[in-house]
Structures are given as structure tokens and as C-alpha cells.
Coordinates of all heavy atoms in Angstrom, one line a residue:
M1 N 277.2 231.9 100.8 CA 276.6 232.5 102.0 C 275.4 233.4 101.6 O 274.4 233.4 102.3 CB 277.6 233.3 102.7 CG 277.3 233.5 104.2 SD 277.2 232.0 105.1 CE 277.2 232.6 106.7
N2 N 275.6 234.2 100.6 CA 274.5 235.1 100.2 C 273.3 234.3 99.6 O 272.2 234.8 99.8 CB 275.1 236.1 99.1 CG 274.2 237.3 98.9 OD1 273.3 237.6 99.8 ND2 274.4 238.0 97.9
N3 N 273.5 233.2 98.9 CA 272.4 232.4 98.4 C 271.6 231.8 99.5 O 270.4 231.7 99.4 CB 273.0 231.3 97.5 CG 273.5 231.9 96.2 OD1 273.2 233.0 95.7 ND2 274.4 231.1 95.6
F4 N 272.3 231.5 100.6 CA 271.6 230.9 101.8 C 270.6 231.9 102.4 O 269.5 231.6 102.8 CB 272.6 230.4 102.8 CG 271.9 229.8 104.0 CD1 271.2 228.6 103.9 CD2 272.0 230.4 105.2 CE1 270.6 228.0 105.0 CE2 271.4 229.9 106.3 CZ 270.7 228.7 106.2
R5 N 271.1 233.2 102.5 CA 270.2 234.3 103.0 C 269.0 234.5 102.1 O 267.9 234.7 102.6 CB 271.0 235.6 103.2 CG 271.9 235.5 104.3 CD 272.6 236.9 104.5 NE 273.5 236.9 105.6 CZ 274.2 237.9 105.9 NH1 274.2 239.0 105.2 NH2 275.0 237.8 107.0
I6 N 269.2 234.5 100.8 CA 268.2 234.7 99.9 C 267.1 233.6 100.0 O 265.9 233.8 100.0 CB 268.7 234.9 98.4 CG1 269.5 236.2 98.3 CG2 267.6 234.9 97.4 CD1 270.2 236.4 97.0
A7 N 267.6 232.4 100.1 CA 266.7 231.2 100.2 C 266.0 231.3 101.5 O 264.7 231.0 101.5 CB 267.5 229.9 100.1
K8 N 266.6 231.6 102.5 CA 266.0 231.8 103.8 C 264.9 232.8 103.8 O 263.8 232.7 104.3 CB 267.0 232.1 104.9 CG 266.6 231.7 106.3 CD 267.7 231.7 107.3 CE 268.6 232.9 107.3 NZ 269.5 232.9 108.5
L9 N 265.2 233.9 103.2 CA 264.2 235.0 103.0 C 263.0 234.6 102.2 O 261.8 234.9 102.6 CB 264.9 236.3 102.4 CG 264.0 237.5 102.3 CD1 263.6 238.0 103.6 CD2 264.8 238.6 101.5
I10 N 263.2 233.9 101.1 CA 262.1 233.4 100.3 C 261.3 232.4 101.1 O 260.0 232.4 101.0 CB 262.7 232.8 99.0 CG1 263.3 233.9 98.1 CG2 261.6 232.0 98.3 CD1 264.0 233.3 96.9
I11 N 261.9 231.5 101.8 CA 261.1 230.5 102.6 C 260.3 231.2 103.7 O 259.1 230.9 103.9 CB 262.1 229.5 103.2 CG1 262.7 228.6 102.1 CG2 261.4 228.7 104.3 CD1 263.8 227.7 102.6
V12 N 260.9 232.2 104.4 CA 260.1 232.9 105.4 C 258.9 233.7 104.8 O 257.8 233.6 105.3 CB 261.0 233.8 106.2 CG1 260.3 234.8 107.0 CG2 262.0 233.0 107.0
F13 N 259.2 234.4 103.7 CA 258.1 235.1 103.0 C 257.0 234.2 102.5 O 255.8 234.5 102.7 CB 258.7 236.0 101.9 CG 257.7 236.8 101.2 CD1 257.1 237.9 101.8 CD2 257.2 236.4 99.9 CE1 256.2 238.7 101.2 CE2 256.3 237.2 99.3 CZ 255.7 238.3 99.9
S14 N 257.4 233.1 101.9 CA 256.4 232.1 101.4 C 255.6 231.5 102.6 O 254.4 231.4 102.4 CB 257.1 231.0 100.7 OG 257.9 231.5 99.6
S15 N 256.2 231.2 103.7 CA 255.5 230.6 104.8 C 254.5 231.6 105.4 O 253.4 231.3 105.7 CB 256.5 230.2 105.9 OG 257.4 229.2 105.4
L16 N 255.0 232.9 105.6 CA 254.1 233.9 106.1 C 252.9 234.1 105.2 O 251.8 234.3 105.6 CB 254.8 235.2 106.4 CG 255.8 235.1 107.6 CD1 256.6 236.4 107.7 CD2 255.0 234.8 108.9
S17 N 253.1 234.2 103.9 CA 252.1 234.4 102.9 C 251.1 233.2 103.0 O 249.8 233.5 103.0 CB 252.6 234.5 101.5 OG 253.5 235.6 101.4
Y18 N 251.6 232.0 103.0 CA 250.7 230.8 103.1 C 249.9 230.8 104.3 O 248.6 230.6 104.3 CB 251.5 229.6 103.0 CG 250.7 228.3 103.0 CD1 249.9 227.9 102.0 CD2 250.7 227.5 104.2 CE1 249.2 226.7 102.0 CE2 250.0 226.4 104.3 CZ 249.2 226.0 103.2 OH 248.5 224.9 103.3
L19 N 250.5 231.1 105.5 CA 249.8 231.1 106.7 C 248.7 232.2 106.8 O 247.6 232.0 107.3 CB 250.7 231.2 107.9 CG 251.6 230.0 108.2 CD1 252.6 230.3 109.3 CD2 250.7 228.8 108.6
S20 N 249.0 233.4 106.2 CA 248.0 234.5 106.2 C 246.8 234.2 105.3 O 245.7 234.5 105.7 CB 248.7 235.8 105.8 OG 249.2 235.7 104.5
V21 N 247.1 233.5 104.2 CA 246.0 233.1 103.3 C 245.1 232.1 104.0 O 243.9 232.2 104.0 CB 246.5 232.6 102.0 CG1 245.4 231.9 101.2 CG2 247.1 233.7 101.2
I22 N 245.7 231.1 104.7 CA 244.9 230.1 105.4 C 244.1 230.7 106.5 O 242.9 230.4 106.7 CB 245.9 229.0 106.0 CG1 246.6 228.2 104.9 CG2 245.1 228.0 106.9 CD1 245.6 227.4 104.0
F23 N 244.7 231.6 107.3 CA 244.0 232.3 108.4 C 242.8 233.1 107.9 O 241.7 233.0 108.4 CB 245.0 233.2 109.1 CG 244.3 234.1 110.1 CD1 243.8 233.6 111.3 CD2 244.0 235.4 109.8 CE1 243.2 234.4 112.2 CE2 243.4 236.2 110.7 CZ 242.9 235.7 112.0
L24 N 243.1 233.9 106.8 CA 242.0 234.7 106.3 C 240.8 233.9 105.7 O 239.7 234.2 105.9 CB 242.5 235.7 105.2 CG 243.4 236.8 105.8 CD1 243.9 237.6 104.7 CD2 242.6 237.7 106.7
R25 N 241.2 232.8 105.1 CA 240.1 231.9 104.5 C 239.3 231.3 105.7 O 238.1 231.2 105.6 CB 240.8 230.8 103.7 CG 239.7 229.9 103.0 CD 240.3 228.8 102.2 NE 241.4 229.2 101.4 CZ 242.4 228.4 100.9 NH1 242.3 227.1 101.2 NH2 243.3 228.8 100.1
N26 N 240.0 230.9 106.7 CA 239.3 230.3 107.9 C 238.5 231.4 108.6 O 237.3 231.1 109.0 CB 240.3 229.6 108.8 CG 239.6 228.9 109.9 OD1 238.5 228.4 109.8 ND2 240.2 228.8 111.1
Y27 N 239.1 232.5 108.8 CA 238.4 233.6 109.6 C 237.2 234.1 108.9 O 236.2 234.4 109.5 CB 239.4 234.8 109.8 CG 238.9 235.9 110.6 CD1 238.9 235.8 112.0 CD2 238.4 237.1 110.1 CE1 238.4 236.8 112.8 CE2 238.0 238.1 110.9 CZ 238.0 238.0 112.2 OH 237.5 239.0 113.0
N28 N 237.2 234.2 107.5 CA 236.1 234.7 106.8 C 235.1 233.6 106.2 O 234.3 233.9 105.4 CB 236.6 235.5 105.6 CG 237.2 236.8 106.0 OD1 236.8 237.4 107.0 ND2 238.3 237.2 105.3
S29 N 235.2 232.4 106.8 CA 234.3 231.4 106.3 C 232.9 231.7 106.9 O 232.8 232.3 108.0 CB 234.8 230.0 106.8 OG 234.6 229.9 108.2
P30 N 231.9 231.3 106.2 CA 230.5 231.6 106.6 C 230.2 231.1 108.0 O 229.5 231.7 108.8 CB 229.6 231.0 105.6 CG 230.4 230.9 104.4 CD 231.8 230.7 104.9
E31 N 230.7 229.9 108.3 CA 230.4 229.3 109.7 C 231.0 230.2 110.8 O 230.4 230.4 111.8 CB 231.0 227.9 109.7 CG 230.3 226.9 108.8 CD 230.9 226.9 107.4 OE1 232.1 227.4 107.3 OE2 230.3 226.5 106.5
N32 N 232.3 230.6 110.6 CA 232.9 231.4 111.6 C 232.3 232.8 111.7 O 232.2 233.4 112.8 CB 234.4 231.5 111.3 CG 235.1 230.2 111.6 OD1 234.7 229.4 112.5 ND2 236.3 230.0 111.0
I33 N 231.9 233.4 110.6 CA 231.2 234.7 110.7 C 229.9 234.6 111.5 O 229.6 235.4 112.3 CB 231.0 235.2 109.3 CG1 232.3 235.6 108.6 CG2 230.0 236.4 109.3 CD1 232.1 236.0 107.2
E34 N 229.2 233.5 111.2 CA 227.9 233.3 111.9 C 228.2 233.1 113.4 O 227.4 233.6 114.3 CB 227.2 232.1 111.4 CG 225.8 231.8 112.0 CD 225.1 230.7 111.3 OE1 225.6 230.1 110.4 OE2 224.0 230.4 111.8
K35 N 229.2 232.3 113.8 CA 229.5 232.1 115.2 C 229.9 233.4 115.9 O 229.4 233.7 117.0 CB 230.7 231.1 115.3 CG 230.3 229.7 115.1 CD 231.5 228.8 115.2 CE 231.2 227.4 114.7 NZ 232.4 226.5 114.8
R36 N 230.7 234.2 115.2 CA 231.1 235.5 115.8 C 229.9 236.4 116.0 O 229.8 237.1 117.1 CB 232.2 236.2 115.0 CG 233.5 235.6 115.1 CD 234.6 236.5 114.5 NE 234.3 236.9 113.1 CZ 234.7 236.3 112.0 NH1 235.3 235.2 112.1 NH2 234.4 236.8 110.8
C37 N 229.0 236.5 115.0 CA 227.9 237.4 115.1 C 226.9 236.9 116.2 O 226.3 237.7 116.9 CB 227.2 237.4 113.7 SG 228.1 238.3 112.5
T38 N 226.7 235.6 116.2 CA 225.8 235.0 117.2 C 226.3 235.3 118.7 O 225.5 235.7 119.5 CB 225.7 233.5 117.0 OG1 225.2 233.2 115.7 CG2 224.7 232.9 118.1
L39 N 227.6 235.1 118.9 CA 228.2 235.4 120.2 C 228.1 236.9 120.5 O 227.8 237.3 121.7 CB 229.6 234.9 120.3 CG 229.8 233.4 120.3 CD1 231.2 233.0 120.3 CD2 229.1 232.8 121.6
K40 N 228.3 237.7 119.5 CA 228.4 239.2 119.7 C 227.0 239.7 120.1 O 226.9 240.6 121.0 CB 228.8 239.8 118.4 CG 229.0 241.3 118.6 CD 229.6 241.9 117.3 CE 229.9 243.3 117.4 NZ 230.4 243.9 116.1
F41 N 225.9 239.2 119.5 CA 224.6 239.7 119.8 C 223.7 238.8 120.6 O 222.5 239.0 120.8 CB 223.9 240.0 118.4 CG 224.7 241.1 117.7 CD1 225.4 240.8 116.6 CD2 224.6 242.4 118.2 CE1 226.1 241.8 115.9 CE2 225.3 243.4 117.5 CZ 226.1 243.1 116.4
E42 N 224.3 237.7 121.2 CA 223.5 236.8 122.0 C 223.0 237.5 123.2 O 221.9 237.2 123.7 CB 224.4 235.6 122.4 CG 223.6 234.5 123.0 CD 224.5 233.3 123.3 OE1 225.6 233.5 123.8 OE2 224.2 232.2 122.9
K43 N 223.7 238.4 123.8 CA 223.3 239.1 125.0 C 222.0 239.9 124.7 O 221.2 240.2 125.6 CB 224.4 239.9 125.6 CG 224.9 241.0 124.7 CD 226.0 241.8 125.3 CE 226.7 242.7 124.4 NZ 225.9 243.8 123.9
D44 N 221.8 240.4 123.5 CA 220.6 241.2 123.2 C 219.4 240.4 123.2 O 218.3 240.9 123.4 CB 220.8 241.8 121.8 CG 221.9 242.9 121.7 OD1 222.3 243.4 122.8 OD2 222.3 243.2 120.6
F45 N 219.5 239.1 123.1 CA 218.3 238.2 123.0 C 217.9 237.7 124.4 O 216.8 237.1 124.5 CB 218.5 237.0 122.1 CG 218.5 237.4 120.7 CD1 219.7 237.4 120.0 CD2 217.4 237.7 120.0 CE1 219.7 237.7 118.6 CE2 217.4 238.1 118.7 CZ 218.6 238.1 118.0
K46 N 218.7 238.0 125.4 CA 218.3 237.5 126.7 C 217.2 238.4 127.3 O 217.3 239.6 127.4 CB 219.5 237.5 127.7 CG 220.5 236.5 127.2 CD 221.7 236.4 128.2 CE 222.7 235.3 127.7 NZ 223.9 235.3 128.5
N47 N 216.2 237.7 127.8 CA 215.0 238.5 128.3 C 215.1 238.5 129.9 O 215.1 237.4 130.5 CB 213.7 237.8 127.9 CG 212.5 238.6 128.3 OD1 212.6 239.7 128.8 ND2 211.3 238.1 128.0
S48 N 215.1 239.6 130.4 CA 215.1 239.7 131.9 C 213.6 239.7 132.3 O 212.7 240.1 131.6 CB 215.8 240.9 132.4 OG 215.1 242.1 132.0
L49 N 213.4 239.3 133.6 CA 212.0 239.3 134.0 C 211.4 240.6 134.2 O 210.1 240.8 134.2 CB 212.0 238.6 135.4 CG 212.4 237.1 135.4 CD1 212.5 236.5 136.8 CD2 211.5 236.3 134.5
E50 N 212.2 241.7 134.3 CA 211.6 243.0 134.5 C 211.4 243.8 133.2 O 211.0 244.9 133.2 CB 212.6 243.8 135.4 CG 212.8 243.2 136.7 CD 214.0 243.8 137.5 OE1 214.7 244.6 136.9 OE2 214.2 243.4 138.6
T51 N 211.7 243.2 132.0 CA 211.5 243.8 130.7 C 210.0 243.8 130.3 O 209.4 242.7 130.3 CB 212.4 243.1 129.7 OG1 213.7 243.1 130.1 CG2 212.3 243.9 128.4
Y52 N 209.5 244.9 129.9 CA 208.1 245.0 129.5 C 208.0 244.5 128.1 O 209.0 244.5 127.3 CB 207.6 246.4 129.6 CG 207.6 246.9 131.0 CD1 208.5 247.9 131.5 CD2 206.6 246.5 131.9 CE1 208.4 248.3 132.8 CE2 206.5 246.9 133.2 CZ 207.5 247.8 133.6 OH 207.4 248.2 134.9
H53 N 206.8 244.2 127.7 CA 206.6 243.5 126.4 C 207.0 244.5 125.2 O 207.7 244.0 124.3 CB 205.1 243.2 126.2 CG 204.8 242.5 124.9 ND1 205.2 241.2 124.7 CD2 204.1 242.9 123.9 CE1 204.8 240.9 123.5 NE2 204.1 241.9 123.0
K54 N 206.7 245.7 125.2 CA 207.0 246.7 124.2 C 208.5 246.9 124.1 O 209.1 246.9 123.0 CB 206.3 248.0 124.3 CG 204.8 247.9 124.0 CD 204.2 249.3 124.1 CE 202.7 249.2 123.8 NZ 202.0 250.5 123.9
E55 N 209.1 247.0 125.3 CA 210.6 247.2 125.3 C 211.3 245.9 124.8 O 212.3 246.0 124.1 CB 211.0 247.5 126.7 CG 212.5 247.8 126.8 CD 212.9 248.2 128.2 OE1 212.1 248.4 129.1 OE2 214.2 248.2 128.4
W56 N 210.8 244.8 125.2 CA 211.4 243.5 124.7 C 211.3 243.4 123.2 O 212.2 243.0 122.5 CB 210.7 242.3 125.4 CG 211.1 241.0 124.9 CD1 210.3 240.0 124.4 CD2 212.4 240.4 125.0 NE1 211.1 238.9 124.0 CE2 212.4 239.2 124.4 CE3 213.7 240.9 125.5 CZ2 213.5 238.3 124.3 CZ3 214.8 240.1 125.4 CH2 214.7 238.8 124.8
D57 N 210.1 243.8 122.6 CA 210.0 243.7 121.1 C 211.0 244.7 120.5 O 211.6 244.4 119.5 CB 208.6 244.1 120.7 CG 207.5 243.0 121.0 OD1 208.0 241.9 121.2 OD2 206.3 243.4 121.1
R58 N 211.2 245.9 121.1 CA 212.1 246.8 120.5 C 213.6 246.3 120.6 O 214.3 246.4 119.6 CB 212.1 248.1 121.3 CG 212.9 249.3 120.7 CD 212.8 250.5 121.5 NE 213.2 250.3 122.9 CZ 214.5 250.3 123.4 NH1 215.5 250.3 122.5 NH2 214.8 250.1 124.6
L59 N 213.9 245.6 121.7 CA 215.2 245.0 121.9 C 215.5 243.9 120.9 O 216.5 243.7 120.3 CB 215.4 244.5 123.3 CG 215.6 245.6 124.4 CD1 215.6 244.9 125.7 CD2 216.9 246.3 124.2
L60 N 214.4 243.1 120.6 CA 214.5 242.0 119.6 C 214.7 242.5 118.2 O 215.5 242.0 117.5 CB 213.3 241.1 119.7 CG 213.3 240.1 120.8 CD1 212.0 239.3 120.8 CD2 214.5 239.1 120.7
D61 N 214.0 243.6 117.9 CA 214.1 244.2 116.6 C 215.6 244.8 116.4 O 216.2 244.6 115.3 CB 213.1 245.3 116.4 CG 211.7 244.8 116.2 OD1 211.6 243.6 115.8 OD2 210.8 245.6 116.4
L62 N 216.1 245.4 117.4 CA 217.4 246.0 117.4 C 218.5 244.8 117.2 O 219.4 244.9 116.4 CB 217.7 246.8 118.6 CG 219.1 247.5 118.7 CD1 219.3 248.5 117.6 CD2 219.3 248.1 120.1
A63 N 218.3 243.8 118.0 CA 219.2 242.7 117.9 C 219.2 242.0 116.6 O 220.2 241.6 116.0 CB 218.9 241.6 119.0
D64 N 218.0 241.8 116.0 CA 217.9 241.3 114.6 C 218.6 242.1 113.6 O 219.3 241.6 112.8 CB 216.4 241.1 114.2 CG 215.7 239.9 114.9 OD1 216.4 239.0 115.3 OD2 214.5 239.9 114.9
K65 N 218.4 243.4 113.7 CA 219.0 244.3 112.7 C 220.6 244.3 112.9 O 221.3 244.2 111.9 CB 218.6 245.8 112.9 CG 217.2 246.0 112.5 CD 216.7 247.4 112.7 CE 215.2 247.6 112.4 NZ 214.8 249.0 112.7
N66 N 221.0 244.3 114.1 CA 222.5 244.2 114.3 C 223.1 242.9 113.9 O 224.2 242.8 113.3 CB 222.8 244.4 115.8 CG 222.6 245.8 116.2 OD1 222.6 246.7 115.4 ND2 222.4 246.0 117.5
Y67 N 222.3 241.8 114.1 CA 222.8 240.5 113.6 C 222.9 240.4 112.1 O 223.9 239.9 111.6 CB 221.9 239.4 114.2 CG 222.3 238.0 113.8 CD1 223.3 237.3 114.4 CD2 221.6 237.3 112.7 CE1 223.7 236.1 114.0 CE2 222.0 236.0 112.4 CZ 223.0 235.4 113.0 OH 223.4 234.2 112.6
F68 N 221.9 240.9 111.4 CA 221.9 240.8 110.0 C 223.0 241.8 109.4 O 223.6 241.4 108.4 CB 220.5 241.2 109.4 CG 219.5 240.1 109.6 CD1 218.2 240.5 110.1 CD2 219.8 238.8 109.3 CE1 217.3 239.5 110.3 CE2 218.8 237.8 109.5 CZ 217.5 238.2 110.0
K69 N 223.2 242.9 110.1 CA 224.2 243.8 109.7 C 225.6 243.1 109.8 O 226.5 243.2 108.9 CB 224.2 245.1 110.5 CG 225.2 246.1 110.1 CD 225.0 247.4 110.9 CE 226.0 248.4 110.6 NZ 225.9 249.6 111.5
C70 N 225.8 242.4 110.9 CA 227.0 241.7 111.2 C 227.3 240.6 110.1 O 228.4 240.4 109.7 CB 227.0 241.1 112.6 SG 228.5 240.2 113.0
M71 N 226.2 239.9 109.8 CA 226.3 238.8 108.8 C 226.5 239.3 107.4 O 226.8 238.6 106.5 CB 225.0 237.9 108.9 CG 224.9 237.1 110.1 SD 226.1 235.8 110.2 CE 225.6 234.8 108.9
G72 N 226.2 240.6 107.1 CA 226.3 241.2 105.8 C 225.1 240.9 105.0 O 225.1 241.0 103.7
I73 N 223.9 240.6 105.6 CA 222.7 240.4 104.9 C 222.0 241.8 104.7 O 221.8 242.5 105.7 CB 221.8 239.5 105.7 CG1 222.5 238.1 105.8 CG2 220.4 239.3 105.0 CD1 221.8 237.1 106.7
P74 N 221.7 242.1 103.4 CA 221.1 243.5 103.2 C 219.7 243.6 103.8 O 218.9 242.6 103.8 CB 221.0 243.6 101.7 CG 221.1 242.2 101.2 CD 221.8 241.4 102.2
Q75 N 219.4 244.7 104.4 CA 218.1 245.0 105.0 C 217.2 245.8 104.0 O 217.7 246.7 103.4 CB 218.3 245.8 106.3 CG 219.1 245.0 107.3 CD 218.2 244.2 108.2 OE1 217.1 244.6 108.5 NE2 218.7 243.0 108.6
Y76 N 215.9 245.6 104.0 CA 215.0 246.4 103.1 C 214.2 247.3 103.9 O 213.8 247.1 105.0 CB 214.2 245.5 102.3 CG 215.0 244.7 101.3 CD1 215.3 243.3 101.5 CD2 215.6 245.3 100.2 CE1 216.0 242.6 100.6 CE2 216.4 244.5 99.3 CZ 216.6 243.2 99.5 OH 217.3 242.5 98.6

């Protein structure tokens, strides 16, 4: 009976470890990071009709900086 509990514990721990490694590998893939960053900062790129040219340029610069920061690309 005790061996069955130990085996069950090992199987559960192994399964959870395997699933967490798979999840983290998928979550941190470059494609998924790019999708998350694009969705997060997509609203910054939308131009309303009432936005002035200088303000729009400032908003685009801010959105670019935030996107690159999210992607982990160094800024100079």
C-alpha cells in the first residue's frame, strides 16, 4: 500500500513538472511574445480623427518604445 502511494506521488509530480515545462516553453516562444505585445500595444497605434499631427507622432513614438520594451529589444 505504501509503494502505491509513493508511485502515485511520483507520477503526479512528474506530470505536473512536464506540463509546466511545456507551458513555459509555449508561453515564452517568440511568436507568442510577439502576439501578446502586439495586442497589448495595438490600441496605441489607432489614430482618431481628432488627433493632431504632433500628438500623433508622440503617440507613435511612445507605442514603438513600449512595443520594443515588451519584446525585450534593447533601445539605444
Side-chain angles (χ1 to χ4, degrees):
M1 198 66 168
N2 197 16
N3 289 338
F4 181 69
R5 284 185 179 176
I6 292 173
K8 207 166 46 171
L9 183 65
I10 290 172
I11 290 171
V12 167
F13 181 72
S14 302
S15 299
L16 288 176
S17 298
Y18 178 74
L19 288 174
S20 64
V21 167
I22 296 295
F23 171 77
L24 289 174
R25 187 182 311 157
N26 186 31
Y27 185 77
N28 291 327
S29 71
E31 295 85 18
N32 286 335
I33 291 173
E34 184 177 357
K35 286 179 188 176
R36 285 194 308 270
C37 291
T38 302
L39 289 175
K40 186 175 181 182
F41 297 107
E42 190 176 49
K43 62 180 169 67
D44 292 342
F45 287 108
K46 292 184 180 175
N47 186 6
S48 66
L49 296 176
E50 300 167 357
T51 305
Y52 295 107
H53 182 68
K54 288 184 180 181
E55 184 179 351
W56 176 240
D57 287 341
R58 187 183 57 78
L59 288 174
L60 281 177
D61 289 339
L62 180 64
D64 283 340
K65 287 178 186 176
N66 288 338
Y67 180 76
F68 289 134
K69 183 179 178 183
C70 180
M71 290 290 292
I73 299 173
Q75 299 270 322
Y76 296 105

